[in-house]
């Protein structure tokens, strides 16, 4: 809805926005059924959603030489927020970060809290313990995502039914056939709950 409450949805580490936030399941109305599009469900409650892909996931290109970093993702979120304000008049949306998207949202909120009406860190992987700094090769490895990986990451017996799980697997592999190559994840150590000050 054009005049709905704006919400920005950030996906997690491995799978992009389409399978995570806008899963289409045949013969299901996302506005009423579990196991279907979260975006459709929110739209039915007059919530206007935006779900960008992190760099190297879904419909986005990888940087040269192909690595994705927390700092790069936060800068990309900042660019998305500026674009939403300029092109759509979206000011101070609510931001929801899921899994690793939760720590990206956390870092964004620390430095740009005044740009948000609220912040939801949903199943965030935030860990106050320092991360090990890992050396990476210049070129990232090419690792294909698998059906088994999609099922393991997303489906829990009794929580999501078979039709939704199958739809998820197909969408996940369609949009993210190759694993994104993360490095410098120690940058997430800058997350500090005390530095989150939202209006």
């Amino acid at each position: 809805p054009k005049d709905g409450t704006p919400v920005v949805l950030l996906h997690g580490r491995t799978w992009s926005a389409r399978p995570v936030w806008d899963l289409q399941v045949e013969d299901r109305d996302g506005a009423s059924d579990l196991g279907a599009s979260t975006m459709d469900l929110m739209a039915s409650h007059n919530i206007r959603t935006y779900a960008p892909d992190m760099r190297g996931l879904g419909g986005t290109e990888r940087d040269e030489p192909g690595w994705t970093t927390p700092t790069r993702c936060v800068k990309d979120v900042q660019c998305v927020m500026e674009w939403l304000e300029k092109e759509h008049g979206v000011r101070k949306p609510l931001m929801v970060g899921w899994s690793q998207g939760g720590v990206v949202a956390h870092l964004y909120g620390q430095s740009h809290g005044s740009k948000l009406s609220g912040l939801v860190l949903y199943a965030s992987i935030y860990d106050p313990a320092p991360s090990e700094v890992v050396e990476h090769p210049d070129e990232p490895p090419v690792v294909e995502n698998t059906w088994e990986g999609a099922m393991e990451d997303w489906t829990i017996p009794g929580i999501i039914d078979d039709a939704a799980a199958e739809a998820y697997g197909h969408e996940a592999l369609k949009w993210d056939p190759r694993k994104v190559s993360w490095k410098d994840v120690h940058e997430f150590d800058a997350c500090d709950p005390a530095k989150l000050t939202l209006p």
Side-chain angles (χ1 to χ4, degrees), residues 1-173:
K2 191 172 182 179
D3 61 345
T5 302
V7 175
V8 175
L9 303 166
L10 302 183
H11 63 73
R13 174 185 179 101
T14 307
W15 309 106
S16 58
R18 179 61 186 253
V20 171
W21 298 115
D22 195 23
L23 180 63
Q24 301 297 313
V25 181
E26 190 175 347
D27 298 325
R28 292 206 186 168
D29 173 7
S32 59
D33 289 325
L34 291 174
S37 170
T38 301
M39 293 176 76
D40 287 349
L41 179 62
M42 291 178 136
S44 74
H45 292 279
N46 200 37
I47 297 170
R48 183 172 29 150
T49 56
Y50 302 92
D53 286 329
M54 304 283 182
R55 190 164 298 248
L57 285 135
T60 66
E61 296 293 325
R62 293 170 183 254
D63 278 345
E64 289 296 331
W67 292 103
T68 298
T69 69
T71 298
R72 177 75 259 173
C73 288
V74 171
K75 287 179 182 174
D76 287 346
V77 170
Q78 182 179 355
C79 289
V80 166
M81 297 288 283
E82 290 169 357
W83 179 83
L84 286 173
E85 184 170 358
K86 180 180 177 187
E87 298 295 324
H88 297 278
V90 173
R91 291 177 182 81
K92 297 180 76 105
L94 173 72
M95 182 174 286
V96 178
W98 177 71
S99 188
Q100 190 156 304
V103 283
V104 172
H106 187 145
L107 284 177
Y108 177 83
Q110 280 183 196
S111 55
H112 300 88
S114 65
K115 299 283 188 181
L116 299 172
S117 64
L119 182 63
V120 177
L121 307 178
Y122 176 55
S124 173
I125 62 166
Y126 168 72
D127 184 347
S131 301
E132 179 182 349
V133 176
V134 177
E135 294 293 324
H136 294 281
D138 290 339
E139 295 283 330
V142 175
V143 180
E144 300 298 321
N145 275 318
T146 65
W147 181 269
E148 294 77 18
M151 294 300 99
E152 180 182 332
D153 282 354
W154 193 253
T155 62
I156 299 171
I159 300 297
I160 186 170
D161 63 75
D162 292 345
E166 185 168 334
Y168 180 83
H170 286 296
E171 284 296 293
L173 293 176

